Amino acid sequence: MRLCAWYLYGEKHRGYALNPVANFHLQNGSVLWRINWMGDTSPRGIGASCGMMVNYRYFLEETASNSALYLGSKQVRASQQVLALVNQFQQNSKL
C-alpha cells in the first residue's frame, strides 16, 4: 500500500503523475482520496494492480483550484490516509 501510494503521488513524468488514470483525475481537480487493499479481486484487478483500487474524490467547490494547482505547480492534493502512506514509504524506502 505504501508503494502504491508513492507510485500514485510521487512518481512523475515531466512533473505529472506517471499513472494515466491518476493524471486524468488530478487534471480534472480531484483529490487522491483512498487506497483500498483488495478492492478489485477480479483476475484482471489482481494482475494489473495486485487487487488494489484507488478512489479519487471531487469536491466541486475545489475542483478548479485543485486542477490549477496540479497543472501549474504539479502539486497533487491527497487525503491524510494517502499522505500517511507516502510518508511511511519515504521513511522506509531506500530509493
Side-chain angles (χ1 to χ4, degrees):
M1 298 249 317
R2 294 183 298 246
L3 181 59
C4 179
W6 176 253
Y7 169 68
L8 295 169
Y9 181 85
E11 289 298 321
K12 307 286 173 97
H13 175 70
R14 296 185 178 158
Y16 298 107
L18 185 61
N19 181 274
V21 174
N23 192 47
F24 170 81
H25 286 289
L26 295 168
Q27 284 183 27
N28 287 304
S30 74
V31 175
L32 180 54
W33 191 250
R34 183 173 47 215
I35 299 172
N36 304 291
W37 175 252
M38 299 308 281
D40 184 355
T41 58
S42 70
R44 184 169 186 243
I46 296 293
S49 63
C50 300
M52 287 184 254
M53 186 184 300
V54 179
N55 296 113
Y56 296 91
R57 188 164 179 189
Y58 288 85
F59 294 96
L60 296 181
E61 64 281 353
E62 297 175 10
T63 55
S65 61
N66 289 348
S67 177
L69 185 68
Y70 180 68
L71 293 171
S73 303
K74 300 175 176 76
Q75 294 180 13
V76 174
R77 291 275 328 267
S79 70
Q80 290 294 30
Q81 185 239 21
V82 173
L83 292 174
L85 289 167
V86 167
N87 187 40
Q88 291 170 18
F89 174 82
Q90 290 175 320
Q91 289 177 355
N92 297 315
S93 174
K94 297 193 187 327
L95 295 178

